[in-house]
Each structure stands twice: as structure tokens, then as C-alpha cells.
Amino acid sequence: MKRTLRILLSLSFALILTCMVGALVGCSDQASENAEDTPEEVFNTAVVYYSATGNTQRVADMIAGPNNGVLFPITPSTPYTEADLDGEDPDSRVSRELENGATSVELVSTTMPDWESYDTVFLGYPIWLGEAAFPMQSFVAANDFSGKKVIPFCTSEASGIGTSAEQLAEIAKTGEWLPGGDFSEEPSLEEVSAWVSSLGLGSNVQA
């Protein structure tokens, strides 16, 4: 009787152990299937911008929103006043900075967190005296764009992007620079989305 009981207990234990192992393997297989079915989210788009009056910021927000883009505003150590931005005044701040070197603007930070992890970088800026806004020039001069696709975009009243994108590429000397985008001071979301879509950057950057 005792021997029979021991045999039954042994069989019961073996059965329970087998069920437990099977359950664990099943959970592991299910987890693997779920992992395969879940698309990996890609957060490798940075939208770096300088905005003096808010126009460029609005475009940057439109670009970053549907693209999981991480926004990084460029901030001058000394903010620009309206008088500073008067390009017709030879004694204004922007006139003097252009004369002394537009890449020398002191910024609160030239370092974007996790900069190395971004392979697509949008650079947004207003046009000043026919060039990219000087804080943007300073940011570009301070960073390495190796291995990155760089897409400049500007906001302007009427002057257009001109040669500002080529100028920034020359300052950077690294990165793959794509054709730039040119927007009015208040473009629509449809305009911005159409431009981003036209770039053909792949599934991780879509409008």
C-alpha cells in the first residue's frame, strides 16, 4: 500500500513538473511572437531650430509631431531684441555680428543630448541678411554631422532660402545635406507635411 502511494505521488509530481515546464515554454514562445509582432518604434529624428519671433518654431513643431522628432531649440546666451534684428541699421547687433563673424554667437548650449543617436536632423532658422540666422550658424559650427542626413528649412518674408543651406553645409563639412525647404512666416500644416513627404526619407520619417 505504501509503495503504491509512493509511486502515485512520484507520478503526480512528475506530471505537475511537466505541466509547469510546458507552461513556461509556452509563455516564452508567446512573448517571442508578441515581440516579433510589435514594430520597433524609431525615435532617431531631431528637429533643431532657432526661432526669433516664433515662426520657425511653429514649423519645427509641425515637422516633429508626426515624425516622433525630438525638438531642440537653440538659445542665444543673450536674447535678441527687436532693435538687434534691424538689418537696415549698420550699428544693430545682427549687422555687427555679420561683420565680425556670424558663427561666433554665444549659445546657452551647443550640445543636444544623445546627439550621436540621431541619423536624421532637421535644421530650422529664419533668414537674416541673406544668411541662416547666426545662432544656427554657431550651432552647426560646433557639432559633428558625420553619418547624419541633414535637412535645412527656413522661414522668411520674401527672400527665400537662397544659398543659406549650402553655407551651413560648408560650415559643417560633414553630413549628407539634402535640399532645403523654404516657408513663409505662417505656412499651413499641409504645406509642411507635403514637403517632408517629398524628401523620401523612409518609414521612420513620414508626414
Side-chain angles (χ1 to χ4, degrees):
M1 180 66 178
K2 291 182 178 179
R3 182 181 177 185
T4 301
L5 183 59
R6 283 198 298 270
I7 292 173
L8 290 174
L9 289 173
S10 297
L11 290 174
S12 298
F13 179 76
L15 181 59
I16 293 171
L17 184 60
T18 300
C19 292
M20 290 177 63
V21 171
L24 289 173
V25 172
C27 289
S28 177
D29 291 343
Q30 185 64 43
S32 298
E33 291 176 4
N34 290 342
E36 292 174 358
D37 293 341
T38 303
E40 180 182 358
E41 291 185 314
V42 180
F43 299 96
N44 61 351
T45 302
V47 183
V48 180
Y49 68 92
Y50 170 71
S51 187
T53 61
N55 295 324
T56 306
Q57 181 180 357
R58 281 191 289 274
V59 178
D61 288 339
M62 293 179 191
I63 294 172
N67 301 315
N68 294 323
V70 177
L71 289 164
F72 182 76
I74 296 173
T75 306
S77 297
T78 303
Y80 287 83
T81 66
E82 185 175 350
D84 289 338
L85 298 173
D86 185 359
E88 296 183 359
D89 180 0
D91 293 323
S92 70
R93 178 179 173 182
V94 292
S95 296
R96 287 184 281 106
E97 286 177 342
L98 180 62
E99 183 178 350
N100 297 329
T103 62
S104 60
V105 176
E106 184 178 344
L107 306 178
V108 170
S109 176
T110 58
T111 305
M112 181 178 180
D114 301 319
W115 176 249
E116 296 79 10
S117 67
Y118 299 104
D119 56 28
T120 302
V121 179
F122 288 85
L123 297 178
Y125 52 88
I127 296 294
W128 289 357
L129 301 175
E131 299 188 6
F134 308 150
M136 176 57 74
Q137 293 190 41
S138 296
F139 177 86
V140 169
N143 285 276
D144 183 3
F145 291 84
S146 298
K148 303 183 188 303
K149 289 184 178 180
V150 189
I151 308 101
F153 67 92
C154 76
T155 54
S156 64
E157 291 183 4
S159 60
I161 197 167
T163 59
S164 64
E166 290 85 351
Q167 179 189 30
L168 291 177
E170 178 60 29
I171 293 171
K173 295 183 171 59
T174 55
E176 177 188 353
W177 289 70
L178 277 65
D182 178 12
F183 299 100
S184 63
E185 292 184 335
E186 295 186 7
S188 67
L189 178 59
E190 289 72 23
E191 289 178 78
V192 176
S193 295
W195 173 67
V196 176
S197 294
S198 72
L199 298 172
L201 293 173
S203 60
N204 65 311
V205 180
Q206 297 178 347

